[in-house]
Amino acid sequence: MAEVILMPRLSDTMTEGVIAAWHKKVGDPVKKGDLLAEVETDKATMELESYKDGTLLHIGTDKGGKLQVNDLLAIIGTPGEDISSLIKGGAAAAAPAAEKPAAPQQAAAPQPQPQPQQQAAPAAAPASGGSIDLSTVPEVILMPRLSDTMTEGVIAEWHKKVGDAVKKGDLLADVETDKATMELESYKEGKLLYIGAQKGDKVPVNALLCIIGDESKVDVNAIVAAAKGGPAPAAAGAAQPQQAEQPQQAAQPAASSAPAPAAASTSEDGRVKASPLAKKIASDKGIDLAKVSGSGDGGRIVKKDIDNYVPAAASSSAPAAAASSAPAAPAGQVSFEEVPVSQMRKVIAKRLAESKFSAPHFYVTMNINMDKAVESRAKLNEVSPAKISFNDMVLKACAIALKKHPKVNSSWLGDKIRINHHVNIGVAVAVEEGLLVPVVRFADTKSLSQIAAEVKVAAQKAKDKKLQPADWEGNTFTISNLGMFGVDEFTAIINPPDACILAIGAINQVPVVKDGQIVVGNIMKVTLSCDHRVVDGASGAAFLQTLQGLLEEPLTMLV
């Protein structure tokens, strides 16, 4: 029997998706796990796999088309099967949503001329005193929300200038958010007629970013005036694109000098093409996909490419660090420097202030004897494919302890408390501009070597500002470690939506009493910050007792 596949919600803020590419066409056989399509959401371009065997009988929209969440995406069944009722049923279930994407899809198509002309009509309305809803104008691209906490983005680089031809999937710009610098691809075709911000400018979410279309059919001045909240100029003609083009010419050498990706498994827009399974295995093994050659369709990396990958000898040449010295202040004079607040620092300030002043924090501290952990780690690293750190051992112990103490693995939601049955642990990583928290998902199900490899890759991606939204969302608990800086103990601010965060100090050799004798012991102090709305003192202390038992007897983590 044929089965309907609806447009899934691929992120927490997604309301619609754009089909970036179809990897199957009508009539093709489909197996479970096959890549059906690439869907561009409000946060990233994501791969959509089939969960059914059969033949692709119908697709809900072509490449470049928009579909609302729960709209009809595809139908998979048996060849010759009557699917007319399913098509009507899918259309009826999402009739209001399905009709809206149809107009932009027609407007973006390069062949039919009358359709775009009709769609461009609203853009001319402000000339007679009307107003425009920019989100409904097909030629307009607004600043997308690229992360769950993003309120504005900074243009790090434009890869197109005014007057350039743009195709769907072309890289338009690099946008710096509060968490990473992300690539923004075009989902429209036409000429870049206007850009709303220069390199380095801040653009609020849903503000006018650029206009792409046919200059003979688009009133750029009217759209810009509507974006600024005023009436369109009476006679501006085609001067706006020319004026906007001048600052872009200055930035052209920087954009044109960007090196083109050379790997066979890299698409024209710079994204590495790999199956989800290959990505997962590579992440577990700590393999950089950019260094793997793909043997699949179009150079796509598949499982066997990861299994057969042999890393090349790494170059040991270290770049020389440029010496930077601040100008010396004359003796007896007040001197200071003011720097703009980065997007990341703004969000850290906002979210942690909200957490500190809204969640009633209390703190529980415990000493843990790490003698056996030190001994076990040395033996584990003799056989582990990835080097295991003490932080990895603490993370694994936390994952096991959270399963035994679900209250600590919970979230405050105002009128209810969410008790999470899965364990996703965020790991605080210090970067130049602040702090990022990549997430180790389902940490209780992973081995120490898997955790070690995943944390190492995530930390490097965080420092390189290459994390994607899926890498930092969904944490249920967080750990923060300052032990490597020699810090004995500290208290951490809870990372929303978690109810708790664990602060990990250094392992110090101190005198301890053992069997009536004073001996040297390896002692680590940990402090659990708890949201008193969710966790009580006894619950927090019980969690630390379990954590202490696991780390003082590491073999129990392997049972």
Side-chain angles (χ1 to χ4, degrees):
M1 179 178 177
E3 184 167 336
V4 169
I5 296 178
L6 304 179
M7 173 63 78
R9 187 182 300 277
L10 297 172
S11 77
D12 53 346
T13 57
M14 176 180 171
T15 58
E16 64 182 15
V18 175
I19 303 299
W22 279 104
H23 291 270
K24 298 287 183 182
K25 62 181 183 295
V26 173
D28 283 355
V30 178
K31 294 181 180 180
K32 292 178 183 176
D34 280 0
L35 182 59
L36 276 180
E38 293 179 35
V39 179
E40 180 182 346
T41 73
D42 58 323
K43 292 183 175 177
T45 299
M46 307 179 72
E47 295 179 337
L48 182 66
E49 295 182 356
S50 173
Y51 51 84
K52 181 178 173 60
D53 291 335
T55 300
L56 184 58
L57 304 178
H58 176 79
I59 59 173
T61 185
D62 293 328
K63 177 182 175 182
K66 290 183 184 177
L67 289 176
Q68 303 294 315
V69 169
N70 292 329
D71 276 3
L72 176 61
L73 179 64
I75 300 176
I76 295 175
T78 306
E81 194 171 352
D82 183 10
I83 58 171
S84 56
S85 60
L86 293 177
I87 296 175
K88 291 178 182 177
E99 290 170 5
K100 291 179 182 177
Q105 183 185 345
Q106 293 170 2
Q111 281 94 3
Q113 298 299 326
Q115 300 296 340
Q117 202 164 3
Q118 293 169 6
Q119 290 300 319
S128 57
S131 61
I132 299 176
D133 179 1
L134 294 181
S135 63
T136 64
V137 180
E139 294 81 9
V140 166
I141 292 182
L142 304 178
M143 172 61 79
R145 187 183 300 276
L146 298 171
S147 80
D148 53 341
T149 57
M150 176 180 171
T151 58
E152 62 184 12
V154 175
I155 304 298
E157 190 71 66
W158 279 102
H159 294 275
K160 297 286 184 181
K161 64 181 185 295
V162 172
D164 282 356
V166 179
K167 295 181 180 179
K168 293 174 187 174
D170 281 359
L171 182 59
L172 278 178
D174 294 334
V175 178
E176 180 187 347
T177 72
D178 55 308
K179 293 181 175 175
T181 299
M182 306 180 69
E183 295 179 341
L184 182 66
E185 296 180 355
S186 173
Y187 51 87
K188 304 178 186 297
E189 291 188 355
K191 181 187 287 188
L192 182 58
L193 304 177
Y194 174 85
I195 60 171
Q198 303 300 319
K199 178 180 177 180
D201 288 350
K202 297 176 183 178
V203 184
V205 169
N206 291 329
L208 177 62
L209 185 62
C210 63
I211 302 172
I212 296 174
D214 185 340
E215 57 189 338
S216 65
K217 298 181 176 65
V218 181
D219 189 341
V220 174
N221 297 318
I223 295 175
V224 173
K228 294 179 179 178
Q240 186 68 36
Q242 295 171 358
Q243 293 169 2
E245 188 171 357
Q246 292 174 359
Q248 283 302 302
Q249 289 172 353
Q252 184 180 2
S256 61
S257 63
S265 57
T266 306
S267 61
E268 293 178 358
D269 55 13
R271 283 191 300 111
V272 175
K273 297 182 291 183
S275 71
L277 179 58
K279 288 180 180 178
K280 182 180 185 303
I281 296 174
S283 176
D284 292 342
K285 293 184 175 182
I287 296 174
D288 184 358
L289 286 173
K291 298 178 180 178
V292 181
S293 297
S295 61
D297 294 339
R300 189 167 180 259
I301 300 171
V302 294
K303 178 179 179 293
K304 70 176 182 179
D305 300 321
I306 303 297
D307 293 339
N308 297 332
Y309 173 70
V310 177
S315 173
S316 59
S317 58
S324 60
S325 57
Q333 287 190 10
V334 175
S335 177
F336 59 86
E337 180 183 5
E338 294 181 350
V339 296
V341 179
S342 67
Q343 295 297 105
M344 183 183 296
R345 181 54 59 188
K346 281 183 181 179
V347 173
I348 290 173
K350 179 175 181 291
R351 284 174 60 82
L352 294 188
E354 288 174 354
S355 172
K356 183 66 175 177
F357 297 121
S358 65
H361 286 51
F362 75 90
Y363 310 96
V364 186
T365 301
M366 183 172 283
N367 291 341
I368 299 177
N369 190 317
M370 297 290 285
D371 285 347
K372 292 187 178 179
V374 171
E375 182 182 348
S376 298
R377 175 176 174 262
K379 293 179 179 178
L380 287 168
N381 278 330
E382 291 177 2
V383 296
S384 174
K387 185 177 181 180
I388 297 169
S389 68
F390 290 112
N391 197 66
D392 301 326
M393 297 181 74
V394 174
L395 191 154
K396 177 64 176 178
C398 285
I400 297 171
L402 288 169
K403 293 296 287 186
K404 297 180 180 180
H405 301 277
K407 287 185 179 179
V408 180
N409 195 41
S410 302
S411 302
W412 175 260
L413 300 180
D415 58 345
K416 55 184 175 287
I417 294 173
R418 174 177 293 168
I419 300 174
N420 298 297
H421 301 302
H422 60 285
V423 178
N424 290 351
I425 298 182
V427 182
V429 176
V431 295
E432 185 177 350
E433 295 180 357
L435 195 69
L436 289 173
V437 187
V439 178
V440 178
R441 302 183 185 281
F442 311 109
D444 56 311
T445 66
K446 294 180 178 177
S447 67
L448 278 168
S449 58
Q450 287 176 314
I451 289 171
E454 190 169 331
V455 169
K456 182 179 179 181
V457 171
Q460 190 58 51
K461 287 171 68 177
K463 291 174 181 176
D464 294 341
K465 300 189 77 174
K466 292 183 178 179
L467 287 177
Q468 295 298 308
D471 297 324
W472 65 65
E473 294 175 347
N475 49 287
T476 62
F477 185 83
T478 302
I479 63 173
S480 180
N481 191 343
L482 293 179
M484 67 284 292
F485 298 106
V487 175
D488 292 333
E489 61 177 310
F490 67 102
T491 57
I493 300 175
I494 295 169
N495 179 32
D498 301 348
C500 298
I501 183 171
L502 185 73
I504 306 165
I507 299 175
N508 292 316
Q509 290 190 330
V510 298
V512 298
V513 178
K514 185 175 182 181
D515 299 329
Q517 301 292 321
I518 298 178
V519 297
V520 176
N522 293 287
I523 302 300
M524 178 179 72
K525 286 187 178 181
V526 295
T527 300
L528 184 70
S529 305
C530 303
D531 183 347
H532 218 325
R533 298 173 299 182
V534 182
V535 179
D536 296 322
S539 301
F543 169 82
L544 285 186
Q545 275 188 326
T546 302
L547 180 69
Q548 181 187 47
L550 290 166
L551 288 171
E552 291 187 349
E553 294 290 344
L555 286 177
T556 58
M557 288 193 286
L558 306 178
V559 177

